[in-house]
Amino acid sequence: MTDGKRTPWVVGVSGASGTPYAAAVIRGLLAAGESVDLVVSRASRLTLLDETGIAFRDAHWREDLATWLERGADGKPATFARPELDDVRYWGAGDLAAGPSSGSYPVKGMLIVPASTACVAGVALGLSKDLLQRVASVTLKERRRLVVAVRETPLNGQTLKHLVALDEAGAVVLPASPAFYAGATHIQDLVDFVAGRVLDAAGVPHRLYRRWEGELGGASRPREASGG
């Protein structure tokens, strides 16, 4: 919030595999007291259904989002506490008249988690085939922070060119690439590392992973419970 006015982060979820990354980022933003505007692409609904069994519905988005955020990266329900969603706003992917489609709508920036290669191409080429791409284009033109957590392997030459174009346009290109120095013992730890790096790029405080402190052997020490 700024001067009492709601200034959210837009979280865009594209159709790439990696919906647990998106859930972890949203949980981290809410834990940090940030407002969230959510855009879920049509393709990502299929991925979400495949990876979690959750059918994300426009008319019941609040219930479906709460169920999603409660679920752990291993698919177990009720892994996390049921979140408060009072400061989350949802916009349909086909709603090109949505608030974030305009540069005059106040936001802090946009986090695309995960970003498919199709999404990367659309944003790099300045397309607006859906609201997610339109908001990304607006974010770049307004010189706001855009973090693109690309989730694909291997990468072909065309996608690499698109990623370079995004970097040159001012976006932060952040591959969904977990590290192991933080002492991961569970799949959720690997997911939280990537989510934490996304929040780092956005300047949002969190305790999702153990930071490198210049001492070898840190991964073998007991890990403190993450907060947010």
Side-chain angles (χ1 to χ4, degrees):
M1 301 283 188
T2 303
D3 298 330
K5 296 181 180 179
R6 184 178 184 276
T7 310
W9 284 97
V10 179
V11 177
V13 186
S14 81
S17 176
T19 54
Y21 292 130
V25 166
I26 296 170
R27 284 194 298 265
L29 289 170
L30 295 179
E34 299 286 347
S35 303
V36 174
D37 275 23
L38 179 63
V39 180
V40 178
S41 76
R42 289 187 175 92
S44 70
R45 294 169 188 248
L46 298 177
T47 307
L48 183 63
L49 180 62
D50 184 54
E51 293 184 345
T52 70
I54 297 170
F56 197 89
R57 303 160 294 175
D58 284 347
H60 303 280
W61 70 266
R62 191 176 294 273
E63 174 187 345
D64 296 338
L65 178 60
T67 301
W68 179 19
L69 297 184
E70 286 180 313
R71 190 155 304 198
D74 57 2
K76 292 182 180 178
T79 297
F80 295 94
R82 194 167 185 85
E84 293 290 338
L85 301 178
D86 293 341
D87 211 6
V88 177
R89 186 174 295 174
Y90 171 73
W91 303 96
D95 185 5
L96 293 178
S101 67
S102 171
S104 66
Y105 183 87
V107 302
K108 293 182 177 178
M110 183 180 192
L111 314 175
I112 305 179
V113 189
S116 66
T117 54
C119 172
V120 166
V123 176
L125 295 173
L127 304 181
S128 295
K129 295 180 66 176
D130 61 10
L131 181 61
L132 194 156
Q133 291 184 10
R134 171 59 187 169
V135 177
S137 179
V138 168
T139 302
L140 288 175
K141 82 179 181 68
E142 297 293 329
R143 302 296 191 268
R144 295 167 180 159
R145 181 61 57 92
L146 174 64
V147 181
V148 181
V150 60
R151 216 305 309 160
E152 186 62 86
T153 189
L155 297 172
N156 63 31
Q158 198 60 50
T159 298
L160 291 171
K161 291 176 182 177
H162 290 150
L163 292 174
V164 170
L166 288 178
D167 177 78
E168 292 175 342
V172 176
V173 175
L174 195 153
S177 186
F180 295 85
Y181 63 77
T185 59
H186 189 276
I187 186 175
Q188 189 66 54
D189 297 328
L190 298 176
V191 168
D192 285 347
F193 179 87
V194 172
R197 295 299 287 149
V198 171
L199 296 178
D200 287 344
V204 176
H206 66 87
R207 294 178 58 196
L208 286 175
Y209 68 89
R210 176 190 288 128
R211 297 183 181 278
W212 176 252
E213 296 179 346
E215 296 182 9
L216 297 178
S220 63
R221 292 195 296 269
R223 182 173 181 266
E224 294 181 3
S226 62

